[in-house]
Amino acid sequence: MHTVGVSPDQDPAYDAVVVGGGHNGLVAAAYLARAGRRVLVLERLDHVGGAAVSALAFDGVAARLSRYSYLVSLLPGRIVEDLGVRIPLARRRYSSYTPDPATGGATGLLIGPPHTFGAVGAAADEKYFADFGRRCRLVTQQLWPTLTEPLPVRAAVDRVVADGGADATAFWRELTGRPIGQTIAEAVHSDLVRGVLATDALIGTFAALDEPSLVQNVCFLYHWLGGGTGEWNVPVGGMGAVSAALAGAANGFGAEIVTGAEVFAVDPDGEVRYRIRGDEHRVQAGAILANVTPTTLSHLLGEQPPPAASGAQIKVNMMLTRLPRLRDGAVSAEQAFGGTFHINETFTQLESARARAAGGQLPDPLPAEIYCHSLTDPTILSGELRTAGAQTLTVFGLHTPHQLTAPDPDRMRLRLTAAVLDSLNSVLAEPIQDVVMSDASGRPCIEAATTADLEATLGMTAGNIFHGALQWPFAEDDDPLDTPARRWGVSTGHARILLCGSAARRGGAVSGIGGHNAAMAVLEGSATRSRGN
């Protein structure tokens, strides 16, 4: 390992140093190493993967849970093919199930097939719901290929979308021109069906559905954009398998990955300073790829950090002895938990929860959605657990902004966990606690991560899972795109430093797109300099 600083006038020790070994950093390192560049990845933790990791979360329980991020939609096949990695994804049998809170969960909407719109008094909405999805996919199918290309300007995107026809153009104008809540309210009539659509605008985003800034619209777009269809798939083996495959590719191409390396300073001239077990090191890089939040990067540079967008979610992982019984006798537990299980997420409940949280109170009931990894991919369980009928459960609660959890994290973690369980119990035929497994010490297998936990463990500023507010996947027509970094949407205020994570223009979620685009900018810059010489 190079540990001696090199003058900027000399050849750098590395062509690129990647700060942060999350999945985007691994993608960037793999692309650059594949192109023959000398690459060093520095990761603070003792393992790579960032939020895309699996863990034996409960003592004595042989189940590898996806601890933080848990589904994959936005990872382009192009990246998988380019890097030669094997990342098997499994399709869930059902799209979603939503118990009707008006009946205490005695009836519910299953979107499969089969569909049960009639069971919740929304038979007329079935065709409107399908048409909404059709119009949305007309847009996303056109946009999806542009995410791994140089950043287009708005006028160019308008032309790309227009290739999808008049309906695509009309929907695109609505999506980029007015709050998504209005579009949803006009598209379908049932409060419950409206909520099913609206949740995609609010995952990890604290906003009203009629927010004038349209930040919720951007969130909605990214949740429908993956693969052009918006389908969210289960990573076979868990999220850790995704990161392991990417790390293997980076290593295989020759990238050097160092864990337990805490970067504490970077310099715009290319110097990176870091510690390993208390010993300080420094290294010179041709380019520094920042796979950290903008706030963290500012601290490393000794600069004033930009305003940080707050995260707004609670994640709860559980191990169950079996799936709980439902109050809805028309739907099996395997159907209900086979897709996304929506709890207390009607359109009205979502808006009420946001207003309550904005006023400094916990939502009651707490809107949440659940997914059962082990139903689709039982490989994360030991043979013994599979034989016994055990299942995993992952709950993602909405509208729990960082300002609620930050003042007293431990107390709020307990309160939020209780709120999640209460919300779930409101639509079940038995308390979820009755089927929660105990670990080797007799403790309930329930693990919660708040925004404060994400900030403390993963360095996600204010617990924002997107490293900040998501941005439209295009530049404005008058934005300067005069450097490779700007052309790829990965620029910072310094020429040698590029964003390569979720904070990049087309970052967010487990996609690898931020890493891909940062690597493309570095390679384009190298080619430009070579031609200039």
Side-chain angles (χ1 to χ4, degrees):
M1 180 191 304
H2 297 271
T3 59
V4 179
V6 178
S7 165
D9 297 328
Q10 298 174 273
D11 288 338
Y14 291 95
D15 296 301
V17 170
V18 181
V19 180
H23 83 281
N24 271 303
L26 299 173
V27 167
Y31 268 105
L32 292 173
R34 187 186 73 153
R37 303 303 191 269
R38 294 165 294 175
V39 184
L40 172 66
V41 179
L42 297 173
E43 169 53 47
R44 174 178 58 90
L45 300 176
D46 62 1
H47 58 271
V48 296
V53 293
S54 299
L56 294 170
F58 306 113
D59 183 27
V61 179
R64 297 195 62 81
L65 278 70
S66 296
R67 181 158 251 165
Y68 303 111
S69 55
Y70 49 98
L71 291 171
V72 175
S73 175
L74 288 157
L75 177 62
R78 174 176 179 177
I79 292 177
V80 173
E81 293 168 8
D82 284 351
L83 300 182
V85 294
R86 184 175 182 271
I87 301 178
L89 302 175
R91 185 173 184 175
R92 296 180 293 174
R93 292 180 60 193
Y94 303 94
S95 176
S96 67
Y97 173 71
T98 309
D100 189 349
T103 65
T107 57
L109 171 60
L110 178 68
I111 299 177
H115 304 320
T116 60
F117 285 83
V120 293
D125 271 339
E126 181 169 355
K127 64 179 179 181
Y128 300 135
F129 182 91
D131 188 61
F132 183 95
R134 178 191 65 83
R135 290 186 293 136
C136 189
R137 285 188 289 273
L138 287 175
V139 169
T140 57
Q141 287 166 0
Q142 301 302 122
L143 280 181
W144 174 241
T146 71
L147 268 64
T148 49
E149 297 174 352
L151 185 66
V153 296
R154 180 187 286 261
V157 169
D158 290 345
R159 291 192 293 271
V160 167
V161 170
D163 289 340
D167 280 357
T169 296
F171 193 88
W172 180 240
R173 286 174 180 166
E174 288 192 46
L175 186 60
T176 57
R178 67 169 184 164
I180 191 66
Q182 297 175 18
T183 301
I184 291 172
E186 292 177 6
V188 295
H189 303 101
S190 162
D191 191 40
L192 185 143
V193 177
R194 287 173 175 174
V196 172
L197 292 172
T199 57
D200 285 332
L202 303 174
I203 300 296
T205 300
F206 189 56
L209 289 165
D210 61 354
E211 169 65 46
S213 72
L214 305 188
V215 63
Q216 75 281 19
N217 291 38
V218 183
C219 182
F220 178 89
L221 174 62
Y222 278 92
H223 278 87
W224 279 76
L225 195 49
T229 65
E231 185 173 334
W232 289 79
N233 293 314
V234 175
V236 176
M239 271 298 178
V242 176
S243 292
L246 295 173
N251 268 322
F253 289 125
E256 184 177 348
I257 300 174
V258 180
T259 58
E262 182 181 9
V263 175
F264 64 89
V266 299
D267 188 275
D269 287 335
E271 185 179 78
V272 179
R273 298 168 66 191
Y274 60 99
R275 299 185 187 93
I276 298 179
R277 294 184 293 277
D279 294 332
E280 293 191 3
H281 305 266
R282 58 185 179 135
V283 67
Q284 193 74 25
I288 299 172
L289 277 62
N291 188 24
V292 294
T293 71
T295 296
T296 298
L297 177 59
S298 295
H299 289 320
L300 295 177
L301 285 162
E303 299 176 348
Q304 183 68 27
S310 171
Q313 71 287 320
I314 170 76
K315 170 88 182 296
V316 180
N317 292 319
M318 291 183 267
M319 276 300 306
L320 309 181
T321 57
R322 59 172 172 80
L323 292 176
R325 290 182 287 109
L326 307 175
R327 295 179 185 173
D328 184 352
V331 175
S332 70
E334 287 72 21
Q335 289 176 310
F337 290 97
T340 299
F341 187 115
H342 298 282
I343 314 164
N344 292 313
E345 288 188 326
T346 69
F347 194 94
T348 301
Q349 286 177 315
L350 289 168
E351 288 291 75
S352 297
R354 186 211 59 83
R356 187 174 173 88
Q361 296 179 292
L362 282 185
D364 183 19
L366 185 79
E369 43 199 61
I370 298 175
Y371 130 86
C372 177
H373 186 117
S374 50
L375 271 178
T376 302
D377 169 33
T379 68
I380 65 168
L381 304 178
S382 68
E384 183 179 357
L385 288 176
R386 275 180 266 176
T387 300
Q391 300 288 356
T392 64
L393 216 59
T394 291
V395 187
F396 192 94
L398 279 63
H399 288 328
T400 58
H402 188 62
Q403 52 265 35
L404 288 181
T405 61
D408 192 346
D410 293 337
R411 175 174 172 269
M412 191 54 68
R413 187 185 308 108
L414 293 174
R415 289 189 62 194
L416 284 169
T417 302
V420 165
L421 300 181
D422 287 345
S423 188
L424 176 54
N425 285 338
S426 72
V427 296
L428 294 179
E430 61 182 327
I432 190 66
Q433 291 90 336
D434 287 357
V435 295
V436 171
M437 189 178 294
S438 296
D439 70 8
S441 300
R443 295 179 297 244
C445 292
I446 301 176
E447 175 192 68
T450 67
T451 56
D453 294 324
L454 294 184
E455 185 171 62
T457 58
L458 299 180
M460 290 183 171
T461 304
N464 193 303
I465 59 176
F466 306 128
H467 290 194
L470 291 169
Q471 304 172 73
W472 293 112
F474 56 78
E476 295 301 331
D477 293 334
D478 57 354
D479 283 351
L481 301 178
D482 52 353
T483 68
R486 289 174 179 165
R487 277 194 293 276
W488 285 94
V490 295
S491 63
T492 68
H494 305 284
R496 281 182 183 244
I497 303 175
L498 289 71
L499 298 173
C500 82
S502 289
R505 167 70 75 157
R506 293 167 288 186
V510 176
S511 71
I513 294 171
H516 169 276
N517 291 347
M520 294 305 105
V522 171
L523 296 175
E524 182 181 317
S526 299
T528 300
R529 287 191 294 274
S530 296
R531 288 195 297 270
N533 292 335

